[in-house]
Amino acid sequence: MTRTLFRNARIVLPQFILDGSVLVEDGKIVDVDAGELANADETVDCQGRYLMPGVIDDQVHFREPGLTHKEDLSTASHACAAGGVTSFLEMPNTKPAAITVEGVRQKEAIAAQKSIVNYGFYIGATPSNLEELAKASDVPGIKIFIGSSTGDLLVDDQETLERIFAETTLPICAHCEDEATVRANMDRLVGTSDIADHSRIRDERAAMIATARATDLARRHKHRFHVLHVSTAAELTLLQNADPYITAEICLHHLFFNVDDYARLGSRIQMNPSIKTKADNEGLWQGLLDGTIQVLATDHAPHTLQEKRQPYPASPSGLPAVENSLALMLDQVNQGKCSLLQVASWMSDAPARVWGMVGKGRIDVGYDADLVLVDMDEARTIRDAEQHTKTCWSPWDGETLRGWPTATYIGGRRVWSQADGFDEQHRGSKLKFDHARGGFWKTMDGIGV
C-alpha cells in the first residue's frame, strides 16, 4: 500500500477550514486530521496553502471524435489538470454524436487512452433513440438539446419530450432555448452582421420559454432534471423554491461577461445561450449565493481563432474555460464576493451529488484523493499563448487574477504542478455513477463511497 501525507495544509472541508494534514492510502483519503508525523511513504509539505477537493466540471465539449482540430481528450484533459479540474462530464454533440450506448463506450475507450483526468460521457437524446436512452446505464445522464443544435440532436417536439421524461430513468439535463423563438428572432434580424444581435436573437424570452417547459416536464413526470447554463435572472423565478427533482447551474461567462463586452471582445464571448445584461450578471451571482443555483460549470467549447474571427453570424458559438475556471473564482474569493467553502460546494461537491459520482466531490474519509493545492496569494496573468487548450486562446486574455492552483492530484498522485508540469504517464479513470442515491437533494452529507 502507498501512503501519502499532505501536511501543513489549510484543508477545505464541506463546513469549515481545518489547519492540519490529510493522509491518503492507495488513492483514498483515510484521515482528514492526521498527525504531522503520521507514517507515510511520501510527504507533501503544503506550506500553509489551501487543499481543496478537485474541481468537477459537469459540462464540457472536448470535440473528440470528429472535431479534433479544435480540441481532443489529451489537450483538454491537460488543460483540466492545469486548472485544478480532476473530473469532467462531456456532452454528446461530437461527430458522430454519442446517441447510443455503444457510442458512449467508444468515447470512454478513447478517454482511457488519452485523458490524464477522470471522465464521464452523457448520452444524447434524439427524436428516435428512446430505446437507447432507456437501456443506458453507467453514464451520468441524458442530454437534450431543446433548441440550439444541429442534426438529430435537436428535440423540441412535445410528444417526444414527454416520452423521454416518462419512459427513462437516468437524470436528464438540457440546453434550454426555445427554437421557435430563436428562429423568429433570426427572421426579424436577417442579414445582420452585428455580433451584439446574437443576444437579441437568443434572448431572455427564448431562455424563459424553454426552461419553463423543461421544468414543467420534470415536475409532472417526477424526473430528476438539471438546467444547464442558466443565462438570465428571470429564469431564477422558475427555480427559487427547492424542488426534489430540479437542480441548475451557471457558467462562468454568464457571470463575468455581458452585452457591453461585445465591443471589446466580439465573437470571443459569442455563446449559446447568449451573454445577457449586467443586471443578469448581478441576478445570477445572487442566485449562486442564495442557493437557487447549485452548480458552477464552464461549458468549455473551443473553436479556433480563425473560425471565431469569421464575420457574424458565420462565427461559431463557444469558448474555452477549463484551465482558468478555478482561478477566476479564487480571485472572486480574494475580492470578498464569495468564500472558499462556497467555491468548493459549487464546483466540486454539488456536481458530484447531482450526478451521483461515487467517492467524489469533497475531502472526507473514504473519498477518492482528488485534490488541488491552491495558493491564494499568487497573482498570474492569463495569456493566450500559455493556454494548454489546443486552440490557445482565452476570453480572459490579459486579465490578472490572484489565487491559483499550484498542483493537482488524482487518487493521491500528482498529475500536474506549476513547478514540474504534467505526469504524462498518468491516465484518469471512468467515473462511477450511482443514481439510486437520489441526486443532489437526497445526499446532503455527500454522495458517499
Side-chain angles (χ1 to χ4, degrees), residues 3-222:
R3 291 164 64 92
T4 302
L5 180 68
F6 293 84
R7 62 179 296 274
N8 192 26
R10 302 209 68 196
I11 309 162
V12 180
L13 300 172
Q15 302 299 331
F16 58 91
I17 294 173
L18 173 72
D19 290 337
S21 300
V22 172
L23 184 62
V24 175
E25 186 174 288
D26 280 355
K28 304 284 186 181
I29 298 168
V30 295
D31 195 342
V32 296
D33 193 14
E36 291 288 302
L37 301 177
N39 182 37
D41 303 294
E42 177 186 9
T43 298
V44 178
D45 187 354
C46 300
Q47 301 177 327
R49 289 172 290 180
Y50 289 87
L51 191 66
M52 300 182 65
V55 171
I56 299 169
D57 196 332
D58 80 341
Q59 187 184 182
V60 301
H61 302 264
F62 284 169
R63 307 303 192 196
E64 188 167 10
L67 294 165
T68 53
H69 70 285
K70 304 174 190 280
E71 192 78 279
D72 61 52
L73 289 171
S74 175
T75 58
S77 64
H78 280 69
C80 283
V85 178
T86 53
S87 299
F88 67 80
L89 301 182
E90 209 253 359
M91 290 298 167
N93 56 328
T94 44
K95 292 187 176 180
I99 57 175
T100 65
V101 174
E102 178 57 28
V104 173
R105 300 295 172 244
Q106 289 173 1
K107 291 174 75 170
E108 291 169 351
I110 298 171
Q113 296 296 316
K114 299 179 73 170
S115 179
I116 67 172
V117 301
N118 302 321
Y119 51 86
F121 298 91
Y122 296 95
I123 186 169
T126 77
S128 58
N129 74 335
L130 184 60
E131 183 177 340
E132 287 290 324
L133 301 180
K135 74 180 183 181
S137 62
D138 199 22
V139 299
I142 296 166
K143 167 66 180 290
I144 306 177
F145 289 87
I146 307 178
S148 189
S149 189
T150 57
D152 290 341
L153 283 171
L154 175 61
V155 183
D156 63 352
D157 172 71
Q158 188 68 23
E159 182 179 353
T160 302
L161 289 169
E162 295 280 358
R163 292 195 65 190
I164 292 171
F165 275 84
E167 299 177 30
T168 66
T169 59
L170 288 171
I172 294 171
C173 60
H175 179 124
C176 294
E177 287 184 292
D178 182 61
E179 189 71 6
T181 301
V182 170
R183 289 177 181 173
N185 288 338
M186 289 176 67
D187 290 342
R188 180 170 54 84
L189 293 168
V190 66
T192 184
S193 59
D194 182 356
I195 185 67
D197 279 337
H198 190 69
S199 292
R200 300 181 183 103
I201 291 169
R202 297 182 175 276
D203 61 7
E204 176 187 286
R205 185 168 178 270
M208 278 292 288
I209 291 171
T211 299
R213 183 185 189 189
T215 52
D216 172 68
L217 282 160
R219 290 182 174 108
R220 285 192 290 105
H221 291 287
K222 295 180 170 55

Side-chain angles (χ1 to χ4, degrees), residues 77-398:
S77 64
H78 280 69
C80 283
V85 178
T86 53
S87 299
F88 67 80
L89 301 182
E90 209 253 359
M91 290 298 167
N93 56 328
T94 44
K95 292 187 176 180
I99 57 175
T100 65
V101 174
E102 178 57 28
V104 173
R105 300 295 172 244
Q106 289 173 1
K107 291 174 75 170
E108 291 169 351
I110 298 171
Q113 296 296 316
K114 299 179 73 170
S115 179
I116 67 172
V117 301
N118 302 321
Y119 51 86
F121 298 91
Y122 296 95
I123 186 169
T126 77
S128 58
N129 74 335
L130 184 60
E131 183 177 340
E132 287 290 324
L133 301 180
K135 74 180 183 181
S137 62
D138 199 22
V139 299
I142 296 166
K143 167 66 180 290
I144 306 177
F145 289 87
I146 307 178
S148 189
S149 189
T150 57
D152 290 341
L153 283 171
L154 175 61
V155 183
D156 63 352
D157 172 71
Q158 188 68 23
E159 182 179 353
T160 302
L161 289 169
E162 295 280 358
R163 292 195 65 190
I164 292 171
F165 275 84
E167 299 177 30
T168 66
T169 59
L170 288 171
I172 294 171
C173 60
H175 179 124
C176 294
E177 287 184 292
D178 182 61
E179 189 71 6
T181 301
V182 170
R183 289 177 181 173
N185 288 338
M186 289 176 67
D187 290 342
R188 180 170 54 84
L189 293 168
V190 66
T192 184
S193 59
D194 182 356
I195 185 67
D197 279 337
H198 190 69
S199 292
R200 300 181 183 103
I201 291 169
R202 297 182 175 276
D203 61 7
E204 176 187 286
R205 185 168 178 270
M208 278 292 288
I209 291 171
T211 299
R213 183 185 189 189
T215 52
D216 172 68
L217 282 160
R219 290 182 174 108
R220 285 192 290 105
H221 291 287
K222 295 180 170 55
H223 197 127
R224 292 217 321 268
F225 177 67
H226 187 64
V227 185
L228 298 171
H229 43 46
V230 175
S231 64
T232 73
E235 288 168 275
L236 300 177
T237 62
L238 303 170
L239 306 168
Q240 281 173 341
N241 297 320
D243 189 297
Y245 303 109
I246 295 171
T247 51
E249 76 181 33
I250 296 173
C251 292
L252 293 155
H253 44 275
H254 290 125
L255 287 179
F256 290 100
F257 299 125
N258 59 63
V259 293
D260 296 335
D261 295 310
Y262 279 127
R264 178 172 59 94
L265 294 169
S267 62
R268 283 198 177 209
I269 57 168
Q270 179 185 333
M271 288 293 296
N272 299 339
S274 68
I275 303 301
K276 301 300 194 301
T277 68
K278 184 177 181 180
D280 288 301
N281 295 153
E282 295 168 353
L284 294 174
W285 263 110
Q286 185 57 42
L288 264 180
L289 294 169
D290 67 19
T292 302
I293 300 290
Q294 294 77 38
V295 173
L296 184 60
T298 66
D299 197 10
H300 177 97
H303 301 280
T304 68
L305 276 177
Q306 182 179 6
E307 292 168 332
K308 291 291 277 186
R309 286 169 178 156
Q310 296 175 90
Y312 184 79
S315 51
S317 295
L319 57 81
V322 290
E323 62 198 285
N324 300 311
S325 60
L326 179 57
L328 284 161
M329 295 309 297
L330 297 178
D331 186 68
Q332 294 297 301
V333 173
N334 276 322
Q335 293 185 42
K337 186 78 172 185
C338 54
S339 71
L340 274 178
L341 295 182
Q342 289 172 313
V343 171
S345 173
W346 299 331
M347 300 184 79
S348 302
D349 186 55
R353 289 162 53 196
V354 167
W355 302 110
M357 300 179 198
V358 177
K360 303 295 185 185
R362 57 174 60 189
I363 297 176
D364 203 351
V365 172
Y367 279 68
D368 297 335
D370 296 350
L371 307 167
V372 57
L373 195 59
V374 162
D375 185 341
M376 289 299 294
D377 294 321
E378 179 179 352
R380 200 187 307 169
T381 302
I382 298 172
R383 304 289 186 194
D384 280 354
E386 297 171 3
Q387 301 300 290
H388 293 96
T389 181
K390 185 178 282 190
T391 55
C392 289
W393 67 272
S394 167
W396 290 279
D397 174 58

